[in-house]
Amino acid sequence: MNLELKNFIAEKNYPTFDLKAAFFDMDGILFDSMPYHAQAWVKAMNEFGLEFSLYDAYLNEGRTGDSTIDELFVKQYGYVSDAAERQKMYDLKSQYFNEFPAPKQIPNVFELLKMLKNKGLQIFVVTGSAQVSLLETLDKNFPNIFEKGKMVTAFDCKIGKPDPEPYLMALAKAGVEKWQAVVVENAPLGVHSAVAAGLFTIGVNTGILKPEELKKKGANMIFKNMREVIESWKKIF
Ligand code: CA
Protein backbone atom coordinates (compact mmCIF):
# COMPACT_ATOMS: atom_id res chain seq x y z
CA MET A 1 0.00 0.00 0.00
CA ASN A 2 1.42 3.39 -0.92
CA LEU A 3 1.42 6.70 0.92
CA GLU A 4 -1.46 8.26 -1.04
CA LEU A 5 -3.70 5.32 -0.17
CA LYS A 6 -2.64 5.34 3.50
CA ASN A 7 -3.37 9.07 3.70
CA PHE A 8 -6.72 8.53 2.01
CA ILE A 9 -7.78 5.85 4.51
CA ALA A 10 -6.70 8.03 7.45
CA GLU A 11 -8.43 11.12 6.08
CA LYS A 12 -11.68 9.25 5.44
CA ASN A 13 -11.46 7.29 8.64
CA TYR A 14 -12.09 4.05 6.73
CA PRO A 15 -11.38 0.80 8.62
CA THR A 16 -9.01 -0.49 5.93
CA PHE A 17 -8.66 -0.77 2.16
CA ASP A 18 -9.60 -4.04 0.53
CA LEU A 19 -9.95 -3.67 -3.22
CA LYS A 20 -12.89 -5.56 -4.77
CA ALA A 21 -14.08 -3.37 -7.62
CA ALA A 22 -12.70 -0.99 -10.24
CA PHE A 23 -14.99 1.64 -11.76
CA PHE A 24 -13.96 2.89 -15.19
CA ASP A 25 -15.19 6.02 -16.85
CA MET A 26 -15.65 5.58 -20.62
CA ASP A 27 -14.84 8.61 -22.81
CA GLY A 28 -11.15 9.42 -22.43
CA ILE A 29 -10.50 6.29 -20.35
CA LEU A 30 -11.72 3.34 -22.45
CA PHE A 31 -12.10 5.14 -25.77
CA ASP A 32 -10.10 7.98 -27.27
CA SER A 33 -13.31 9.80 -28.09
CA MET A 34 -12.70 13.14 -26.38
CA PRO A 35 -10.93 14.82 -29.33
CA TYR A 36 -14.07 14.16 -31.41
CA HIS A 37 -16.49 15.28 -28.68
CA ALA A 38 -14.46 18.43 -28.06
CA GLN A 39 -14.22 19.39 -31.74
CA ALA A 40 -17.94 18.73 -32.25
CA TRP A 41 -18.84 20.89 -29.23
CA VAL A 42 -16.66 23.80 -30.36
CA LYS A 43 -18.00 23.73 -33.91
CA ALA A 44 -21.65 23.52 -32.84
CA MET A 45 -21.45 26.15 -30.07
CA ASN A 46 -19.52 28.59 -32.28
CA GLU A 47 -22.15 28.24 -34.97
CA PHE A 48 -24.72 29.36 -32.43
CA GLY A 49 -22.57 32.39 -31.61
CA LEU A 50 -21.27 31.08 -28.29
CA GLU A 51 -17.62 31.29 -27.35
CA PHE A 52 -16.36 27.83 -26.52
CA SER A 53 -12.79 26.54 -26.82
CA LEU A 54 -11.35 23.02 -26.96
CA TYR A 55 -10.05 23.58 -23.43
CA ASP A 56 -13.59 24.54 -22.33
CA ALA A 57 -14.90 21.34 -23.90
CA TYR A 58 -12.44 19.24 -21.90
CA LEU A 59 -13.21 21.17 -18.70
CA ASN A 60 -16.94 20.46 -19.18
CA GLU A 61 -16.48 16.80 -20.12
CA GLY A 62 -18.95 14.57 -18.33
CA ARG A 63 -21.58 17.26 -17.83
CA THR A 64 -24.89 16.63 -19.57
CA GLY A 65 -25.44 18.45 -22.86
CA ASP A 66 -28.28 20.45 -21.30
CA SER A 67 -26.21 21.66 -18.41
CA THR A 68 -23.20 22.57 -20.60
CA ILE A 69 -25.34 24.60 -22.99
CA ASP A 70 -27.32 26.26 -20.25
CA GLU A 71 -24.25 27.42 -18.36
CA LEU A 72 -22.89 28.97 -21.55
CA PHE A 73 -26.15 30.74 -22.24
CA VAL A 74 -26.42 32.23 -18.79
CA LYS A 75 -22.76 33.38 -18.84
CA GLN A 76 -22.75 34.82 -22.34
CA TYR A 77 -26.34 35.88 -22.98
CA GLY A 78 -27.55 36.38 -19.42
CA TYR A 79 -30.64 34.23 -19.75
CA VAL A 80 -31.62 30.57 -19.56
CA SER A 81 -32.00 28.88 -22.94
CA ASP A 82 -35.28 27.18 -23.75
CA ALA A 83 -35.51 23.43 -24.15
CA ALA A 84 -36.12 23.50 -27.92
CA GLU A 85 -33.10 25.75 -28.46
CA ARG A 86 -30.90 23.49 -26.34
CA GLN A 87 -32.10 20.43 -28.22
CA LYS A 88 -31.23 22.05 -31.57
CA MET A 89 -27.73 22.85 -30.34
CA TYR A 90 -27.20 19.42 -28.87
CA ASP A 91 -28.45 17.76 -32.06
CA LEU A 92 -25.92 19.75 -34.06
CA LYS A 93 -23.13 18.70 -31.70
CA SER A 94 -24.23 15.05 -32.03
CA GLN A 95 -24.35 15.37 -35.82
CA TYR A 96 -20.76 16.65 -35.93
CA PHE A 97 -19.63 13.97 -33.49
CA ASN A 98 -21.22 11.22 -35.59
CA GLU A 99 -19.35 12.42 -38.67
CA PHE A 100 -16.12 11.24 -37.02
CA PRO A 101 -15.00 7.60 -37.33
CA ALA A 102 -15.60 5.21 -34.41
CA PRO A 103 -13.14 6.14 -31.65
CA LYS A 104 -10.17 3.86 -30.97
CA GLN A 105 -9.27 2.34 -27.62
CA ILE A 106 -7.11 4.35 -25.25
CA PRO A 107 -3.65 2.73 -25.56
CA ASN A 108 -2.98 -0.06 -23.02
CA VAL A 109 -6.34 0.22 -21.26
CA PHE A 110 -7.34 -3.29 -22.42
CA GLU A 111 -4.17 -4.65 -20.81
CA LEU A 112 -5.09 -2.89 -17.55
CA LEU A 113 -8.66 -4.24 -17.69
CA LYS A 114 -7.44 -7.81 -18.27
CA MET A 115 -4.93 -7.49 -15.43
CA LEU A 116 -7.65 -6.37 -13.00
CA LYS A 117 -10.12 -8.99 -14.23
CA ASN A 118 -7.47 -11.67 -13.59
CA LYS A 119 -7.06 -10.34 -10.06
CA GLY A 120 -10.76 -11.11 -9.57
CA LEU A 121 -11.96 -7.53 -9.35
CA GLN A 122 -15.45 -6.56 -10.44
CA ILE A 123 -15.09 -4.23 -13.41
CA PHE A 124 -17.73 -1.54 -13.96
CA VAL A 125 -18.17 1.15 -16.58
CA VAL A 126 -19.63 4.36 -15.13
CA THR A 127 -20.57 6.81 -17.85
CA GLY A 128 -23.00 9.56 -18.74
CA SER A 129 -23.34 7.99 -22.16
CA ALA A 130 -26.84 7.19 -23.43
CA GLN A 131 -25.80 4.72 -26.14
CA VAL A 132 -28.44 2.02 -26.45
CA SER A 133 -25.94 -0.61 -27.67
CA LEU A 134 -23.20 0.25 -25.21
CA LEU A 135 -22.59 -3.30 -23.97
CA GLU A 136 -22.24 -4.48 -27.57
CA THR A 137 -19.66 -1.78 -28.32
CA LEU A 138 -17.75 -2.59 -25.12
CA ASP A 139 -17.82 -6.32 -25.84
CA LYS A 140 -16.52 -5.84 -29.35
CA ASN A 141 -13.58 -3.76 -28.14
CA PHE A 142 -12.88 -5.41 -24.79
CA PRO A 143 -14.08 -9.03 -24.99
CA ASN A 144 -14.90 -10.79 -21.70
CA ILE A 145 -14.45 -7.72 -19.51
CA PHE A 146 -17.83 -6.06 -19.12
CA GLU A 147 -21.16 -7.59 -18.13
CA LYS A 148 -24.75 -6.54 -18.22
CA GLY A 149 -25.61 -5.33 -14.72
CA LYS A 150 -22.08 -4.07 -14.14
CA MET A 151 -22.71 -0.78 -15.85
CA VAL A 152 -23.99 2.63 -14.77
CA THR A 153 -25.10 4.76 -17.72
CA ALA A 154 -27.29 7.78 -18.44
CA PHE A 155 -30.28 5.40 -18.22
CA ASP A 156 -29.57 4.75 -14.51
CA CYS A 157 -28.98 8.33 -13.43
CA LYS A 158 -31.22 11.29 -12.68
CA ILE A 159 -28.44 13.81 -12.11
CA GLY A 160 -25.16 12.38 -13.41
CA LYS A 161 -21.59 13.61 -12.96
CA PRO A 162 -20.31 15.82 -11.32
CA ASP A 163 -22.85 14.68 -8.70
CA PRO A 164 -21.69 11.59 -6.75
CA GLU A 165 -24.85 9.76 -7.89
CA PRO A 166 -23.31 7.55 -10.64
CA TYR A 167 -20.47 6.30 -8.43
CA LEU A 168 -22.77 5.75 -5.45
CA MET A 169 -24.96 3.71 -7.77
CA ALA A 170 -21.93 1.67 -8.92
CA LEU A 171 -21.10 0.94 -5.27
CA ALA A 172 -24.66 -0.25 -4.66
CA LYS A 173 -24.71 -2.40 -7.80
CA ALA A 174 -21.32 -3.93 -6.97
CA GLY A 175 -22.37 -4.51 -3.36
CA VAL A 176 -19.09 -3.15 -2.02
CA GLU A 177 -18.08 -0.51 0.52
CA LYS A 178 -16.37 2.79 -0.25
CA TRP A 179 -13.07 1.37 0.92
CA GLN A 180 -13.34 -1.54 -1.53
CA ALA A 181 -13.39 0.33 -4.84
CA VAL A 182 -11.20 2.48 -7.01
CA VAL A 183 -12.16 4.89 -9.79
CA VAL A 184 -10.26 5.57 -13.02
CA GLU A 185 -11.31 8.93 -14.51
CA ASN A 186 -9.89 11.47 -16.95
CA ALA A 187 -12.10 14.52 -16.54
CA PRO A 188 -12.27 17.12 -13.75
CA LEU A 189 -16.04 16.68 -13.33
CA GLY A 190 -15.70 12.89 -13.32
CA VAL A 191 -13.01 13.14 -10.64
CA HIS A 192 -15.29 15.49 -8.71
CA SER A 193 -18.11 12.93 -8.85
CA ALA A 194 -15.90 10.05 -7.69
CA VAL A 195 -14.25 12.06 -4.90
CA ALA A 196 -17.65 13.29 -3.70
CA ALA A 197 -18.74 9.63 -3.53
CA GLY A 198 -15.83 9.05 -1.13
CA LEU A 199 -13.78 6.87 -3.48
CA PHE A 200 -10.05 6.59 -4.09
CA THR A 201 -9.70 8.27 -7.47
CA ILE A 202 -6.99 7.78 -10.05
CA GLY A 203 -6.88 10.56 -12.63
CA VAL A 204 -5.42 9.67 -16.00
CA ASN A 205 -4.85 12.87 -17.92
CA THR A 206 -5.39 11.57 -21.46
CA GLY A 207 -6.52 14.90 -22.91
CA ILE A 208 -5.21 18.46 -23.24
CA LEU A 209 -5.87 19.74 -19.72
CA LYS A 210 -3.20 20.79 -17.26
CA PRO A 211 -2.90 18.05 -14.59
CA GLU A 212 -3.75 20.73 -11.98
CA GLU A 213 -7.37 20.62 -13.20
CA LEU A 214 -7.63 17.02 -11.91
CA LYS A 215 -5.65 17.80 -8.75
CA LYS A 216 -7.99 20.71 -7.94
CA LYS A 217 -10.97 18.35 -7.99
CA GLY A 218 -9.28 16.04 -5.52
CA ALA A 219 -7.79 13.19 -7.59
CA ASN A 220 -5.71 11.05 -5.21
CA MET A 221 -3.13 10.22 -7.87
CA ILE A 222 -2.60 11.50 -11.40
CA PHE A 223 -0.95 9.69 -14.29
CA LYS A 224 -0.22 10.65 -17.87
CA ASN A 225 -1.26 7.38 -19.49
CA MET A 226 -2.40 3.79 -18.87
CA ARG A 227 1.15 2.40 -19.04
CA GLU A 228 1.99 4.43 -15.94
CA VAL A 229 -1.17 3.17 -14.23
CA ILE A 230 -0.30 -0.47 -14.99
CA GLU A 231 3.25 -0.03 -13.70
CA SER A 232 2.12 1.70 -10.50
CA TRP A 233 -0.86 -0.53 -9.68
CA LYS A 234 1.08 -3.01 -7.55
CA LYS A 235 2.76 -0.23 -5.58
CA ILE A 236 -0.56 1.48 -4.90
CA PHE A 237 -2.62 -1.46 -3.68
CA1 CA B 1 -14.33 10.84 -19.31
Side-chain angles (χ1 to χ4, degrees):
M1 193 183 286
N2 74 347
L3 188 64
E4 281 87 352
L5 190 56
K6 277 186 192 153
N7 289 342
F8 171 79
I9 297 165
E11 181 202 313
K12 296 284 178 193
N13 211 10
Y14 289 158
T16 180
F17 201 85
D18 175 24
L19 191 59
K20 301 270 190 224
F23 301 156
F24 282 80
D25 167 53
M26 187 170 77
D27 289 296
I29 285 294
L30 299 180
F31 295 108
D32 194 11
S33 42
M34 268 313 292
Y36 301 158
H37 280 296
Q39 288 172 65
W41 269 115
V42 169
K43 208 170 156 194
M45 293 308 106
N46 291 352
E47 271 182 40
F48 277 92
L50 290 161
E51 279 173 39
F52 200 64
S53 67
L54 283 176
Y55 204 86
D56 291 332
Y58 276 87
L59 277 181
N60 279 283
E61 181 192 346
R63 203 189 278 284
T64 62
D66 258 13
S67 145
T68 305
I69 293 167
D70 218 39
E71 198 186 76
L72 272 177
F73 250 79
V74 172
K75 262 194 203 152
Q76 294 183 29
Y77 289 151
Y79 64 90
V80 176
S81 59
D82 70 56
E85 203 167 20
R86 279 200 299 275
Q87 191 59 49
K88 245 166 72 185
M89 297 169 84
Y90 191 70
D91 288 348
L92 186 64
K93 183 260 162 182
S94 301
Q95 183 198 315
Y96 289 142
F97 178 74
N98 290 329
E99 285 169 10
F100 286 108
K104 293 198 173 70
Q105 293 177 12
I106 288 283
N108 303 309
V109 74
F110 193 24
E111 186 184 332
L112 175 64
L113 290 166
K114 284 189 281 193
M115 182 179 100
L116 303 187
K117 190 89 176 178
N118 284 336
K119 287 178 188 290
L121 297 188
Q122 296 193 59
I123 312 266
F124 271 69
V125 62
V126 180
T127 175
S129 168
Q131 270 186 63
V132 182
S133 58
L134 186 61
L135 187 60
E136 211 174 290
T137 309
L138 289 172
D139 251 352
K140 208 171 79 187
N141 281 275
F142 309 103
N144 304 317
I145 298 289
F146 295 99
E147 297 165 41
K148 198 177 176 221
K150 297 199 173 185
M151 302 172 47
V152 175
T153 72
F155 300 109
D156 299 293
C157 294
K158 284 199 182 74
I159 316 165
K161 301 171 188 177
D163 192 87
E165 178 196 36
Y167 283 107
L168 293 175
M169 204 170 278
L171 280 172
K173 283 194 182 192
V176 300
E177 302 291 338
K178 294 181 179 190
W179 39 271
Q180 293 179 315
V182 63
V183 172
V184 185
E185 265 283 356
N186 73 307
L189 298 179
V191 167
H192 186 281
S193 166
V195 168
L199 300 176
F200 190 80
T201 305
I202 293 177
V204 191
N205 194 21
T206 59
I208 62 171
L209 295 179
K210 299 188 194 109
E212 294 92 273
E213 309 285 3
L214 301 180
K215 194 77 206 162
K216 270 194 285 194
K217 297 293 184 183
N220 298 98
M221 298 188 76
I222 298 167
F223 296 100
K224 285 201 282 288
N225 54 52
M226 292 299 166
R227 176 56 54 205
E228 284 188 357
V229 178
I230 292 169
E231 278 161 14
S232 304
W233 196 271
K234 267 196 198 135
K235 287 177 226 154
I236 306 173
F237 299 106

